[in-house]
Amino acid sequence: MTDRQGEQAAFKVMERLRAVQWDGDWSDSFGKAMSRRLLMREYLRRSALWAQTYSAESAWPFFDVTEYVDPEFTLPPSTAHELEDFLRARMSGSVKVTCRGAVRLAELRFHDPAIAATGLPDLYEPLIRLYERGGEFMEDNVGALDLTGVSFRPGSLQGNASNTPVVALHDAVLDALDVEGRVTFYASDNDRGTVFRRLLPQGGGQHEEVFSGRLGWQPTTRLSAMETDGDCVRIYDQDAARIIEEALLGLPRVAGQE
């Protein structure tokens, strides 16, 4: 692969980062809180795997992995200049580190076939998707992550490394997960093949919906009836994401599948 191809790969990543609305509307970011949380959890899983492979455990979870894959690696001067010029924008420290890592890794993987041979999933893609869906994240003084509207602790490296894939990086799946207001997911207790949600909008009231791969979310009265009969169970958002993925893409997720 040529140096030019590597530069083009790095440039494409930088263009995506430049297009992010870093100072976007708070309500828009809040409306995508669920997909952003799942994308962050998927990044934490992937970064744990990369950290274990390249002995970067001490730098986990937000780091430039190229410093561990190839400590001698440098970007071409023109690309490095563009990158550092972009990073002068207002961003938190961890966001800058991961943006730099995403651009550098895009180029490095073109020149180092051993990276592909590891079989590791694309490290920074979940974070880039998170940025595209609402800008940066913040870290507080005790290690919690603030994703605009949702805050949680990242957990341990070992715990994240042992997780199965959290969410498909597919726009239709991510879009189907997001809604304004409080949401709770449920599934049929019999086959877990259908997902329901109960919405509590900020303005009050309550809505119940069922998901169809062809029609999306549709109003339903089945959920309340199933609750009365004990035929449904509450599920986590990542379980809802899996059912939605199967409905939209037609392919069941296999354990360990990236």
Side-chain angles (χ1 to χ4, degrees), residues 166-182:
V166 177
V167 66
L169 305 188
H170 191 285
D171 287 338
V173 175
L174 298 173
D175 289 343
L177 288 165
D178 286 325
V179 65
E180 291 188 12
R182 184 178 175 184

Side-chain angles (χ1 to χ4, degrees), residues 93-107:
S94 292
V95 175
K96 285 188 178 183
V97 168
T98 53
C99 285
R100 181 181 288 112
V103 174
R104 283 165 51 86
L105 183 59
E107 169 129 354

